[in-house]
Amino acid sequence: MVYIAGWGHTKFGKLTDMDLQDLIVAAGQEALMDAGIPAADVDGIWVGHFNAGMVPDGFPSSLSLAIHDGLRYKPATRLENACASGSAAVFAARQAILAGEVKVALVIGVEKMTHLSTPDVTAALGHAAYQREEAGMSFPGVFAQFAQAYFEKYGDHTRTLAKIAAKNHANAMKNPLAQLHKELDEEFCATVSDRNPVVAAPLKVTDCSLISDGAAALVMVAEDLLPAVSKAAKFRSVAQINDVLPMSQRDLLKFEGPRRAIHTAYERAGITVDDVDVAEVHDCFTIAELLIYESMGLAAHGHGADVLEAGTVYPGGKLPVNLSGGLKAKGHPVGATGVSMHTLVARQVLGQADEMQRPGAELGLVFNMGGSGVANYASILEGVKG
Ligand SMILES: CC(=O)CC(=O)SCCNC(=O)CCNC(=O)[C@H](O)C(C)(C)COP(=O)(O)OP(=O)(O)OC[C@H]1O[C@@H](n2cnc3c(N)ncnc32)[C@H](O)[C@@H]1OP(=O)(O)O
């Protein structure tokens, strides 16, 4: 078994005074301190980072040695899997621990985006789409196709998407690390206005995740270290499922890759969705969160709106989703996102999520996605110590 024993997390947002190295160092130092494990005891470092030309001075794996002198001469590797790069790093570190070669892993997720214009970020992110058929398409444009298909089949769900946006903006008010502390209500999010223009019909600004800088870090340990650490969230199960990249070869509304990843994680953990207390999921666009409700098994295809009507996914509901504010309002520094999600769910299942805490949470789901349901990573975390 593998455990999360500590974490670090910068604020997400427009962090003009921090470059890539500053972000890595801040999150990494905090995680080591939090775990109470000396840098010298770290056996390897895994860094999730997308980049795609967003920063010229990449090589974040080697930048990570700046976290502490004790890390010099340790193996450090960067992983890239589009917006799931952070989870790719988490999963690789977990496998190294399970293989018995590593006892202590330091995992960092990092991205620096806000120094670029929105069109430049859009172009860089667009590299994660299928270039033979989708070159030049923006990610808002990609997910607009999902929303158009959903509206065509199941009717106009503008209000449903607005409810998701308003929920996540409200949740972010309780997360001091979130980028946007602005209550945007359902009416504002449902209405096209000068302050909420259409980005790619039917998606408006409030249907999109943010452009962000930020980093998150985890210290992960092997079972033998369990007596030595003061807190531990166990990876009860994980699942990675990749689907083919071309959108033309996928039934968009089935969201098959996400569904398979999440259900495989449930099966491996021996649970159903009814056992999950809390979830952080990849709401890169509000339509993605709606489709994820259906992929999680909370509702049948076309019925995701029911879980909002029933209050299920709100704070105080049966399975609150994105209590952190999600990518929508916490922010989405793409390489950091998967690590941030694991951090936040670990905090939830250990009762350490402060104002965001779902009382009594024991089991949590992380679902992080690269591309439009292409690289899908699901983890079930369980609080076991601390
Ligand atoms: C790639 C993968 O593998 C999978 C994925 O995850 S895909 C997701 C990848 N990420 C994205 O595509 C990012 C999507 N978001 C965007 O492109 C941009 O945020 C956007 C086009 C929605 C808006 O950009 P913009 O028009 O340049 O907005 P900007 O000028 O920065 O801000 C204008 C106002 O809108 C607000 N705003 C900006 N983005 C916002 C958002 N997403 N939600 C709510 N408000 C937002 C700002 O706070 C600002 O408000 P004030 O005027 O009150 O200060």
Side-chain angles (χ1 to χ4, degrees), residues 82-84 118 122 125 128 139-140 143 169 180 182 184 195 199 205-206 208-211 282 284-285 327-328 332 334 369-371:
C83 293
T118 299
T122 305
L125 293 172
F139 264 90
F143 277 89
H169 279 289
L180 212 57
K182 228 194 257 181
L184 299 177
R195 289 182 55 220
V199 177
V205 165
T206 50
C208 302
S209 54
L210 294 157
I211 290 171
H282 198 98
C284 51
F285 297 93
L327 285 53
K328 174 74 275 273
H332 185 22
V334 290
M369 171 172 87

PDB file of all heavy atoms in Angstrom, residues 82-84 118 122 125 128 139-140 143 169 180 182 184 195 199 205-206 208-211 282 284-285 327-328 332 334 369-371, ligand 1:
ATOM      1  N   ALA A  82      -0.924  16.014 -20.693  1.00  0.00           N
ATOM      2  CA  ALA A  82      -1.859  17.133 -20.849  1.00  0.00           C
ATOM      3  C   ALA A  82      -2.324  17.617 -19.467  1.00  0.00           C
ATOM      4  O   ALA A  82      -1.509  17.733 -18.556  1.00  0.00           O
ATOM      5  CB  ALA A  82      -3.012  16.743 -21.766  1.00  0.00           C
ATOM      6  N   CYS A  83      -3.601  17.847 -19.286  1.00  0.00           N
ATOM      7  CA  CYS A  83      -4.077  18.427 -18.018  1.00  0.00           C
ATOM      8  C   CYS A  83      -4.113  17.394 -16.898  1.00  0.00           C
ATOM      9  O   CYS A  83      -4.507  17.707 -15.768  1.00  0.00           O
ATOM     10  CB  CYS A  83      -5.437  19.077 -18.205  1.00  0.00           C
ATOM     11  SG  CYS A  83      -5.308  20.517 -19.280  1.00  0.00           S
ATOM     12  N   ALA A  84      -3.711  16.164 -17.200  1.00  0.00           N
ATOM     13  CA  ALA A  84      -3.585  15.138 -16.158  1.00  0.00           C
ATOM     14  C   ALA A  84      -2.113  14.895 -15.824  1.00  0.00           C
ATOM     15  O   ALA A  84      -1.786  13.871 -15.213  1.00  0.00           O
ATOM     16  CB  ALA A  84      -4.259  13.848 -16.599  1.00  0.00           C
ATOM     17  N   THR A 118      -4.271  35.529 -23.117  1.00  0.00           N
ATOM     18  CA  THR A 118      -5.240  34.424 -23.237  1.00  0.00           C
ATOM     19  C   THR A 118      -5.102  33.695 -24.586  1.00  0.00           C
ATOM     20  O   THR A 118      -5.080  32.462 -24.612  1.00  0.00           O
ATOM     21  CB  THR A 118      -6.672  34.952 -23.000  1.00  0.00           C
ATOM     22  OG1 THR A 118      -6.720  35.474 -21.667  1.00  0.00           O
ATOM     23  CG2 THR A 118      -7.720  33.859 -23.151  1.00  0.00           C
ATOM     24  N   THR A 122      -4.310  29.751 -24.907  1.00  0.00           N
ATOM     25  CA  THR A 122      -5.266  28.923 -25.673  1.00  0.00           C
ATOM     26  C   THR A 122      -4.532  28.116 -26.737  1.00  0.00           C
ATOM     27  O   THR A 122      -4.788  26.918 -26.912  1.00  0.00           O
ATOM     28  CB  THR A 122      -6.327  29.837 -26.341  1.00  0.00           C
ATOM     29  OG1 THR A 122      -6.915  30.634 -25.317  1.00  0.00           O
ATOM     30  CG2 THR A 122      -7.401  29.029 -27.051  1.00  0.00           C
ATOM     31  N   LEU A 125      -2.421  25.291 -24.996  1.00  0.00           N
ATOM     32  CA  LEU A 125      -3.269  24.179 -24.522  1.00  0.00           C
ATOM     33  C   LEU A 125      -3.817  23.376 -25.694  1.00  0.00           C
ATOM     34  O   LEU A 125      -3.990  22.162 -25.607  1.00  0.00           O
ATOM     35  CB  LEU A 125      -4.429  24.724 -23.668  1.00  0.00           C
ATOM     36  CG  LEU A 125      -4.034  25.368 -22.339  1.00  0.00           C
ATOM     37  CD1 LEU A 125      -5.244  26.042 -21.697  1.00  0.00           C
ATOM     38  CD2 LEU A 125      -3.442  24.346 -21.386  1.00  0.00           C
ATOM     39  N   ALA A 128      -2.799  19.882 -26.999  1.00  0.00           N
ATOM     40  CA  ALA A 128      -3.255  18.598 -26.447  1.00  0.00           C
ATOM     41  C   ALA A 128      -4.424  18.011 -27.239  1.00  0.00           C
ATOM     42  O   ALA A 128      -4.906  16.933 -26.921  1.00  0.00           O
ATOM     43  CB  ALA A 128      -3.649  18.770 -24.980  1.00  0.00           C
ATOM     44  N   PHE A 139      -9.560  24.647 -26.473  1.00  0.00           N
ATOM     45  CA  PHE A 139     -10.252  23.741 -25.553  1.00  0.00           C
ATOM     46  C   PHE A 139     -11.668  24.217 -25.210  1.00  0.00           C
ATOM     47  O   PHE A 139     -12.579  23.382 -25.119  1.00  0.00           O
ATOM     48  CB  PHE A 139      -9.394  23.379 -24.332  1.00  0.00           C
ATOM     49  CG  PHE A 139      -8.711  22.058 -24.583  1.00  0.00           C
ATOM     50  CD1 PHE A 139      -7.461  22.016 -25.184  1.00  0.00           C
ATOM     51  CD2 PHE A 139      -9.357  20.865 -24.335  1.00  0.00           C
ATOM     52  CE1 PHE A 139      -6.859  20.805 -25.503  1.00  0.00           C
ATOM     53  CE2 PHE A 139      -8.769  19.643 -24.646  1.00  0.00           C
ATOM     54  CZ  PHE A 139      -7.520  19.609 -25.224  1.00  0.00           C
ATOM     55  N   PRO A 140     -11.903  25.543 -25.068  1.00  0.00           N
ATOM     56  CA  PRO A 140     -13.311  25.933 -24.959  1.00  0.00           C
ATOM     57  C   PRO A 140     -14.111  25.449 -26.173  1.00  0.00           C
ATOM     58  O   PRO A 140     -15.258  24.999 -26.045  1.00  0.00           O
ATOM     59  CB  PRO A 140     -13.251  27.468 -24.890  1.00  0.00           C
ATOM     60  CG  PRO A 140     -11.904  27.759 -24.272  1.00  0.00           C
ATOM     61  CD  PRO A 140     -10.985  26.687 -24.802  1.00  0.00           C
ATOM     62  N   PHE A 143     -14.813  21.614 -25.786  1.00  0.00           N
ATOM     63  CA  PHE A 143     -15.887  21.287 -24.833  1.00  0.00           C
ATOM     64  C   PHE A 143     -17.229  21.911 -25.237  1.00  0.00           C
ATOM     65  O   PHE A 143     -18.286  21.429 -24.816  1.00  0.00           O
ATOM     66  CB  PHE A 143     -15.462  21.625 -23.395  1.00  0.00           C
ATOM     67  CG  PHE A 143     -14.627  20.516 -22.801  1.00  0.00           C
ATOM     68  CD1 PHE A 143     -13.247  20.509 -22.949  1.00  0.00           C
ATOM     69  CD2 PHE A 143     -15.223  19.433 -22.171  1.00  0.00           C
ATOM     70  CE1 PHE A 143     -12.475  19.464 -22.453  1.00  0.00           C
ATOM     71  CE2 PHE A 143     -14.467  18.384 -21.680  1.00  0.00           C
ATOM     72  CZ  PHE A 143     -13.088  18.393 -21.818  1.00  0.00           C
ATOM     73  N   HIS A 169     -18.043  28.458  -7.572  1.00  0.00           N
ATOM     74  CA  HIS A 169     -17.611  29.790  -7.135  1.00  0.00           C
ATOM     75  C   HIS A 169     -17.925  29.987  -5.650  1.00  0.00           C
ATOM     76  O   HIS A 169     -17.105  30.530  -4.907  1.00  0.00           O
ATOM     77  CB  HIS A 169     -18.262  30.883  -7.988  1.00  0.00           C
ATOM     78  CG  HIS A 169     -17.551  31.093  -9.290  1.00  0.00           C
ATOM     79  ND1 HIS A 169     -16.311  31.682  -9.378  1.00  0.00           N
ATOM     80  CD2 HIS A 169     -17.887  30.749 -10.560  1.00  0.00           C
ATOM     81  CE1 HIS A 169     -15.908  31.696 -10.640  1.00  0.00           C
ATOM     82  NE2 HIS A 169     -16.846  31.130 -11.382  1.00  0.00           N
ATOM     83  N   LEU A 180     -10.082  32.673  -7.412  1.00  0.00           N
ATOM     84  CA  LEU A 180     -11.174  33.629  -7.553  1.00  0.00           C
ATOM     85  C   LEU A 180     -12.094  33.567  -6.343  1.00  0.00           C
ATOM     86  O   LEU A 180     -12.792  32.580  -6.137  1.00  0.00           O
ATOM     87  CB  LEU A 180     -11.969  33.289  -8.831  1.00  0.00           C
ATOM     88  CG  LEU A 180     -12.589  34.472  -9.567  1.00  0.00           C
ATOM     89  CD1 LEU A 180     -11.542  35.495  -9.959  1.00  0.00           C
ATOM     90  CD2 LEU A 180     -13.325  33.990 -10.815  1.00  0.00           C
ATOM     91  N   LYS A 182     -14.938  35.249  -5.630  1.00  0.00           N
ATOM     92  CA  LYS A 182     -15.997  36.127  -6.127  1.00  0.00           C
ATOM     93  C   LYS A 182     -17.266  35.302  -6.200  1.00  0.00           C
ATOM     94  O   LYS A 182     -17.294  34.283  -6.887  1.00  0.00           O
ATOM     95  CB  LYS A 182     -15.619  36.555  -7.549  1.00  0.00           C
ATOM     96  CG  LYS A 182     -15.725  38.033  -7.853  1.00  0.00           C
ATOM     97  CD  LYS A 182     -15.656  38.248  -9.347  1.00  0.00           C
ATOM     98  CE  LYS A 182     -14.316  38.756  -9.827  1.00  0.00           C
ATOM     99  NZ  LYS A 182     -14.265  38.974 -11.290  1.00  0.00           N
ATOM    100  N   LEU A 184     -20.347  34.383  -7.766  1.00  0.00           N
ATOM    101  CA  LEU A 184     -21.062  34.630  -9.021  1.00  0.00           C
ATOM    102  C   LEU A 184     -22.310  33.763  -8.970  1.00  0.00           C
ATOM    103  O   LEU A 184     -22.199  32.535  -8.948  1.00  0.00           O
ATOM    104  CB  LEU A 184     -20.183  34.261 -10.221  1.00  0.00           C
ATOM    105  CG  LEU A 184     -18.858  35.040 -10.354  1.00  0.00           C
ATOM    106  CD1 LEU A 184     -18.055  34.542 -11.540  1.00  0.00           C
ATOM    107  CD2 LEU A 184     -19.117  36.544 -10.492  1.00  0.00           C
ATOM    108  N   ARG A 195     -19.914  41.288 -19.018  1.00  0.00           N
ATOM    109  CA  ARG A 195     -18.972  40.662 -18.057  1.00  0.00           C
ATOM    110  C   ARG A 195     -18.960  39.153 -18.178  1.00  0.00           C
ATOM    111  O   ARG A 195     -18.086  38.503 -17.589  1.00  0.00           O
ATOM    112  CB  ARG A 195     -19.335  41.090 -16.620  1.00  0.00           C
ATOM    113  CG  ARG A 195     -19.012  42.565 -16.351  1.00  0.00           C
ATOM    114  CD  ARG A 195     -19.319  42.949 -14.917  1.00  0.00           C
ATOM    115  NE  ARG A 195     -18.653  42.091 -13.950  1.00  0.00           N
ATOM    116  CZ  ARG A 195     -19.229  41.657 -12.818  1.00  0.00           C
ATOM    117  NH1 ARG A 195     -20.468  41.981 -12.537  1.00  0.00           N
ATOM    118  NH2 ARG A 195     -18.547  40.908 -11.979  1.00  0.00           N
ATOM    119  N   VAL A 199     -17.723  32.423 -24.981  1.00  0.00           N
ATOM    120  CA  VAL A 199     -16.351  32.092 -25.399  1.00  0.00           C
ATOM    121  C   VAL A 199     -16.410  31.168 -26.610  1.00  0.00           C
ATOM    122  O   VAL A 199     -15.746  31.392 -27.620  1.00  0.00           O
ATOM    123  CB  VAL A 199     -15.565  31.434 -24.235  1.00  0.00           C
ATOM    124  CG1 VAL A 199     -14.168  31.028 -24.682  1.00  0.00           C
ATOM    125  CG2 VAL A 199     -15.484  32.387 -23.038  1.00  0.00           C
ATOM    126  N   VAL A 205     -17.870  32.717 -20.366  1.00  0.00           N
ATOM    127  CA  VAL A 205     -16.689  32.814 -19.487  1.00  0.00           C
ATOM    128  C   VAL A 205     -16.900  32.002 -18.207  1.00  0.00           C
ATOM    129  O   VAL A 205     -16.017  31.256 -17.771  1.00  0.00           O
ATOM    130  CB  VAL A 205     -16.361  34.298 -19.150  1.00  0.00           C
ATOM    131  CG1 VAL A 205     -15.400  34.393 -17.973  1.00  0.00           C
ATOM    132  CG2 VAL A 205     -15.759  34.989 -20.362  1.00  0.00           C
ATOM    133  N   THR A 206     -18.100  32.129 -17.614  1.00  0.00           N
ATOM    134  CA  THR A 206     -18.344  31.442 -16.336  1.00  0.00           C
ATOM    135  C   THR A 206     -18.449  29.918 -16.479  1.00  0.00           C
ATOM    136  O   THR A 206     -18.522  29.219 -15.476  1.00  0.00           O
ATOM    137  CB  THR A 206     -19.616  31.976 -15.645  1.00  0.00           C
ATOM    138  OG1 THR A 206     -20.681  31.962 -16.591  1.00  0.00           O
ATOM    139  CG2 THR A 206     -19.387  33.376 -15.092  1.00  0.00           C
ATOM    140  N   CYS A 208     -16.025  28.318 -17.985  1.00  0.00           N
ATOM    141  CA  CYS A 208     -14.630  27.909 -18.224  1.00  0.00           C
ATOM    142  C   CYS A 208     -13.831  27.895 -16.932  1.00  0.00           C
ATOM    143  O   CYS A 208     -14.081  28.691 -16.016  1.00  0.00           O
ATOM    144  CB  CYS A 208     -13.942  28.896 -19.167  1.00  0.00           C
ATOM    145  SG  CYS A 208     -14.760  29.082 -20.758  1.00  0.00           S
ATOM    146  N   SER A 209     -12.823  27.032 -16.887  1.00  0.00           N
ATOM    147  CA  SER A 209     -11.850  27.095 -15.787  1.00  0.00           C
ATOM    148  C   SER A 209     -10.953  28.305 -16.008  1.00  0.00           C
ATOM    149  O   SER A 209     -10.989  28.954 -17.052  1.00  0.00           O
ATOM    150  CB  SER A 209     -11.016  25.816 -15.758  1.00  0.00           C
ATOM    151  OG  SER A 209     -10.427  25.585 -17.030  1.00  0.00           O
ATOM    152  N   LEU A 210     -10.140  28.590 -15.001  1.00  0.00           N
ATOM    153  CA  LEU A 210      -9.308  29.791 -15.019  1.00  0.00           C
ATOM    154  C   LEU A 210      -7.932  29.515 -15.621  1.00  0.00           C
ATOM    155  O   LEU A 210      -7.496  28.366 -15.686  1.00  0.00           O
ATOM    156  CB  LEU A 210      -9.138  30.298 -13.584  1.00  0.00           C
ATOM    157  CG  LEU A 210     -10.431  30.789 -12.928  1.00  0.00           C
ATOM    158  CD1 LEU A 210     -10.312  30.739 -11.407  1.00  0.00           C
ATOM    159  CD2 LEU A 210     -10.761  32.203 -13.401  1.00  0.00           C
ATOM    160  N   ILE A 211      -7.282  30.566 -16.014  1.00  0.00           N
ATOM    161  CA  ILE A 211      -5.864  30.496 -16.409  1.00  0.00           C
ATOM    162  C   ILE A 211      -5.070  30.870 -15.155  1.00  0.00           C
ATOM    163  O   ILE A 211      -5.320  31.920 -14.555  1.00  0.00           O
ATOM    164  CB  ILE A 211      -5.595  31.468 -17.573  1.00  0.00           C
ATOM    165  CG1 ILE A 211      -6.292  30.940 -18.835  1.00  0.00           C
ATOM    166  CG2 ILE A 211      -4.106  31.668 -17.793  1.00  0.00           C
ATOM    167  CD1 ILE A 211      -6.293  31.903 -20.005  1.00  0.00           C
ATOM    168  N   HIS A 282     -12.602  16.898 -12.409  1.00  0.00           N
ATOM    169  CA  HIS A 282     -11.993  17.781 -13.410  1.00  0.00           C
ATOM    170  C   HIS A 282     -13.039  18.642 -14.133  1.00  0.00           C
ATOM    171  O   HIS A 282     -13.448  18.345 -15.258  1.00  0.00           O
ATOM    172  CB  HIS A 282     -11.224  16.911 -14.408  1.00  0.00           C
ATOM    173  CG  HIS A 282     -10.217  17.675 -15.204  1.00  0.00           C
ATOM    174  ND1 HIS A 282      -8.877  17.712 -14.899  1.00  0.00           N
ATOM    175  CD2 HIS A 282     -10.343  18.445 -16.310  1.00  0.00           C
ATOM    176  CE1 HIS A 282      -8.232  18.449 -15.766  1.00  0.00           C
ATOM    177  NE2 HIS A 282      -9.103  18.917 -16.643  1.00  0.00           N
ATOM    178  N   CYS A 284     -12.959  21.273 -15.916  1.00  0.00           N
ATOM    179  CA  CYS A 284     -12.277  22.249 -16.783  1.00  0.00           C
ATOM    180  C   CYS A 284     -13.298  23.143 -17.466  1.00  0.00           C
ATOM    181  O   CYS A 284     -13.020  24.288 -17.801  1.00  0.00           O
ATOM    182  CB  CYS A 284     -11.384  21.546 -17.793  1.00  0.00           C
ATOM    183  SG  CYS A 284     -12.213  20.242 -18.717  1.00  0.00           S
ATOM    184  N   PHE A 285     -14.474  22.588 -17.697  1.00  0.00           N
ATOM    185  CA  PHE A 285     -15.627  23.353 -18.175  1.00  0.00           C
ATOM    186  C   PHE A 285     -16.840  22.788 -17.444  1.00  0.00           C
ATOM    187  O   PHE A 285     -16.840  21.610 -17.049  1.00  0.00           O
ATOM    188  CB  PHE A 285     -15.775  23.217 -19.709  1.00  0.00           C
ATOM    189  CG  PHE A 285     -14.579  23.799 -20.414  1.00  0.00           C
ATOM    190  CD1 PHE A 285     -13.504  22.987 -20.767  1.00  0.00           C
ATOM    191  CD2 PHE A 285     -14.492  25.163 -20.664  1.00  0.00           C
ATOM    192  CE1 PHE A 285     -12.359  23.528 -21.348  1.00  0.00           C
ATOM    193  CE2 PHE A 285     -13.352  25.706 -21.255  1.00  0.00           C
ATOM    194  CZ  PHE A 285     -12.286  24.890 -21.600  1.00  0.00           C
ATOM    195  N   LEU A 327     -11.573  23.462 -10.631  1.00  0.00           N
ATOM    196  CA  LEU A 327     -10.748  24.172 -11.618  1.00  0.00           C
ATOM    197  C   LEU A 327     -11.419  25.494 -11.983  1.00  0.00           C
ATOM    198  O   LEU A 327     -10.773  26.453 -12.359  1.00  0.00           O
ATOM    199  CB  LEU A 327     -10.587  23.313 -12.874  1.00  0.00           C
ATOM    200  CG  LEU A 327      -9.643  22.115 -12.805  1.00  0.00           C
ATOM    201  CD1 LEU A 327      -9.915  21.173 -11.655  1.00  0.00           C
ATOM    202  CD2 LEU A 327      -9.656  21.357 -14.121  1.00  0.00           C
ATOM    203  N   LYS A 328     -12.736  25.496 -11.874  1.00  0.00           N
ATOM    204  CA  LYS A 328     -13.582  26.644 -12.190  1.00  0.00           C
ATOM    205  C   LYS A 328     -13.221  27.882 -11.370  1.00  0.00           C
ATOM    206  O   LYS A 328     -13.160  28.984 -11.896  1.00  0.00           O
ATOM    207  CB  LYS A 328     -15.047  26.201 -11.931  1.00  0.00           C
ATOM    208  CG  LYS A 328     -16.150  27.203 -12.037  1.00  0.00           C
ATOM    209  CD  LYS A 328     -16.472  27.578 -13.463  1.00  0.00           C
ATOM    210  CE  LYS A 328     -15.591  28.664 -13.967  1.00  0.00           C
ATOM    211  NZ  LYS A 328     -15.999  30.023 -13.720  1.00  0.00           N
ATOM    212  N   HIS A 332      -6.726  26.506 -12.395  1.00  0.00           N
ATOM    213  CA  HIS A 332      -6.299  25.330 -13.163  1.00  0.00           C
ATOM    214  C   HIS A 332      -4.913  25.553 -13.780  1.00  0.00           C
ATOM    215  O   HIS A 332      -4.790  25.712 -14.996  1.00  0.00           O
ATOM    216  CB  HIS A 332      -7.369  25.050 -14.235  1.00  0.00           C
ATOM    217  CG  HIS A 332      -7.154  23.805 -15.042  1.00  0.00           C
ATOM    218  ND1 HIS A 332      -6.387  22.737 -14.614  1.00  0.00           N
ATOM    219  CD2 HIS A 332      -7.627  23.449 -16.282  1.00  0.00           C
ATOM    220  CE1 HIS A 332      -6.394  21.795 -15.551  1.00  0.00           C
ATOM    221  NE2 HIS A 332      -7.129  22.206 -16.573  1.00  0.00           N
ATOM    222  N   VAL A 334      -2.381  23.858 -15.175  1.00  0.00           N
ATOM    223  CA  VAL A 334      -2.709  22.509 -15.630  1.00  0.00           C
ATOM    224  C   VAL A 334      -1.850  21.387 -15.034  1.00  0.00           C
ATOM    225  O   VAL A 334      -2.384  20.377 -14.589  1.00  0.00           O
ATOM    226  CB  VAL A 334      -2.804  22.417 -17.171  1.00  0.00           C
ATOM    227  CG1 VAL A 334      -4.024  23.155 -17.668  1.00  0.00           C
ATOM    228  CG2 VAL A 334      -1.573  22.989 -17.844  1.00  0.00           C
ATOM    229  N   MET A 369      -8.342  14.632 -15.571  1.00  0.00           N
ATOM    230  CA  MET A 369      -8.484  14.242 -16.981  1.00  0.00           C
ATOM    231  C   MET A 369      -7.554  15.057 -17.867  1.00  0.00           C
ATOM    232  O   MET A 369      -7.429  16.266 -17.696  1.00  0.00           O
ATOM    233  CB  MET A 369      -9.953  14.531 -17.318  1.00  0.00           C
ATOM    234  CG  MET A 369     -10.395  14.438 -18.709  1.00  0.00           C
ATOM    235  SD  MET A 369     -12.211  14.587 -18.714  1.00  0.00           S
ATOM    236  CE  MET A 369     -12.438  16.351 -18.786  1.00  0.00           C
ATOM    237  N   GLY A 370      -6.904  14.392 -18.807  1.00  0.00           N
ATOM    238  CA  GLY A 370      -6.121  15.086 -19.823  1.00  0.00           C
ATOM    239  C   GLY A 370      -6.853  15.021 -21.147  1.00  0.00           C
ATOM    240  O   GLY A 370      -7.367  13.959 -21.520  1.00  0.00           O
ATOM    241  N   GLY A 371      -6.891  16.163 -21.860  1.00  0.00           N
ATOM    242  CA  GLY A 371      -7.668  16.213 -23.093  1.00  0.00           C
ATOM    243  C   GLY A 371      -9.149  16.102 -22.769  1.00  0.00           C
ATOM    244  O   GLY A 371      -9.576  16.281 -21.629  1.00  0.00           O
TER     245      GLY A 371
HETATM  246  C1  LIG B   1      -6.073  20.611 -21.936  1.00  0.00           C
HETATM  247  C2  LIG B   1      -6.565  19.399 -21.230  1.00  0.00           C
HETATM  248  O1  LIG B   1      -5.850  18.375 -21.274  1.00  0.00           O
HETATM  249  C3  LIG B   1      -7.865  19.335 -20.543  1.00  0.00           C
HETATM  250  C4  LIG B   1      -8.370  20.594 -19.860  1.00  0.00           C
HETATM  251  O2  LIG B   1      -8.336  20.724 -18.654  1.00  0.00           O
HETATM  252  S1  LIG B   1      -9.014  21.804 -20.851  1.00  0.00           S
HETATM  253  C5  LIG B   1      -8.973  23.296 -19.886  1.00  0.00           C
HETATM  254  C6  LIG B   1      -7.734  24.064 -20.104  1.00  0.00           C
HETATM  255  N1  LIG B   1      -7.927  25.482 -19.672  1.00  0.00           N
HETATM  256  C7  LIG B   1      -8.518  26.385 -20.453  1.00  0.00           C
HETATM  257  O3  LIG B   1      -8.903  26.100 -21.579  1.00  0.00           O
HETATM  258  C8  LIG B   1      -8.671  27.757 -19.891  1.00  0.00           C
HETATM  259  C9  LIG B   1     -10.070  28.286 -20.170  1.00  0.00           C
HETATM  260  N2  LIG B   1     -10.196  29.709 -19.753  1.00  0.00           N
HETATM  261  C10 LIG B   1      -9.858  30.708 -20.569  1.00  0.00           C
HETATM  262  O4  LIG B   1      -9.392  30.511 -21.690  1.00  0.00           O
HETATM  263  C11 LIG B   1     -10.043  32.130 -20.041  1.00  0.00           C
HETATM  264  O5  LIG B   1     -10.094  32.104 -18.635  1.00  0.00           O
HETATM  265  C12 LIG B   1     -11.337  32.791 -20.601  1.00  0.00           C
HETATM  266  C13 LIG B   1     -11.318  32.784 -22.143  1.00  0.00           C
HETATM  267  C14 LIG B   1     -12.572  32.065 -20.093  1.00  0.00           C
HETATM  268  C15 LIG B   1     -11.423  34.234 -20.085  1.00  0.00           C
HETATM  269  O6  LIG B   1     -10.252  34.898 -20.458  1.00  0.00           O
HETATM  270  P1  LIG B   1     -10.253  36.490 -20.724  1.00  0.00           P
HETATM  271  O7  LIG B   1     -11.409  36.824 -21.598  1.00  0.00           O
HETATM  272  O8  LIG B   1      -8.895  36.865 -21.213  1.00  0.00           O
HETATM  273  O9  LIG B   1     -10.562  37.067 -19.292  1.00  0.00           O
HETATM  274  P2  LIG B   1      -9.706  38.138 -18.469  1.00  0.00           P
HETATM  275  O10 LIG B   1      -9.482  39.354 -19.310  1.00  0.00           O
HETATM  276  O11 LIG B   1      -8.503  37.454 -17.881  1.00  0.00           O
HETATM  277  O12 LIG B   1     -10.689  38.490 -17.268  1.00  0.00           O
HETATM  278  C16 LIG B   1     -11.857  39.315 -17.478  1.00  0.00           C
HETATM  279  C17 LIG B   1     -12.774  39.154 -16.287  1.00  0.00           C
HETATM  280  O13 LIG B   1     -13.362  37.839 -16.304  1.00  0.00           O
HETATM  281  C18 LIG B   1     -13.035  37.123 -15.107  1.00  0.00           C
HETATM  282  N3  LIG B   1     -12.729  35.758 -15.532  1.00  0.00           N
HETATM  283  C19 LIG B   1     -11.736  35.360 -16.349  1.00  0.00           C
HETATM  284  N4  LIG B   1     -11.817  34.038 -16.537  1.00  0.00           N
HETATM  285  C20 LIG B   1     -12.870  33.605 -15.820  1.00  0.00           C
HETATM  286  C21 LIG B   1     -13.451  32.336 -15.624  1.00  0.00           C
HETATM  287  N5  LIG B   1     -12.927  31.251 -16.220  1.00  0.00           N
HETATM  288  N6  LIG B   1     -14.526  32.250 -14.821  1.00  0.00           N
HETATM  289  C22 LIG B   1     -15.040  33.334 -14.211  1.00  0.00           C
HETATM  290  N7  LIG B   1     -14.540  34.584 -14.380  1.00  0.00           N
HETATM  291  C23 LIG B   1     -13.458  34.696 -15.169  1.00  0.00           C
HETATM  292  C24 LIG B   1     -11.816  37.830 -14.547  1.00  0.00           C
HETATM  293  O14 LIG B   1     -11.751  37.666 -13.138  1.00  0.00           O
HETATM  294  C25 LIG B   1     -12.084  39.255 -14.938  1.00  0.00           C
HETATM  295  O15 LIG B   1     -13.036  39.798 -14.043  1.00  0.00           O
HETATM  296  P3  LIG B   1     -12.993  41.350 -13.578  1.00  0.00           P
HETATM  297  O16 LIG B   1     -13.099  42.146 -14.853  1.00  0.00           O
HETATM  298  O17 LIG B   1     -14.169  41.470 -12.658  1.00  0.00           O
HETATM  299  O18 LIG B   1     -11.655  41.499 -12.913  1.00  0.00           O
END
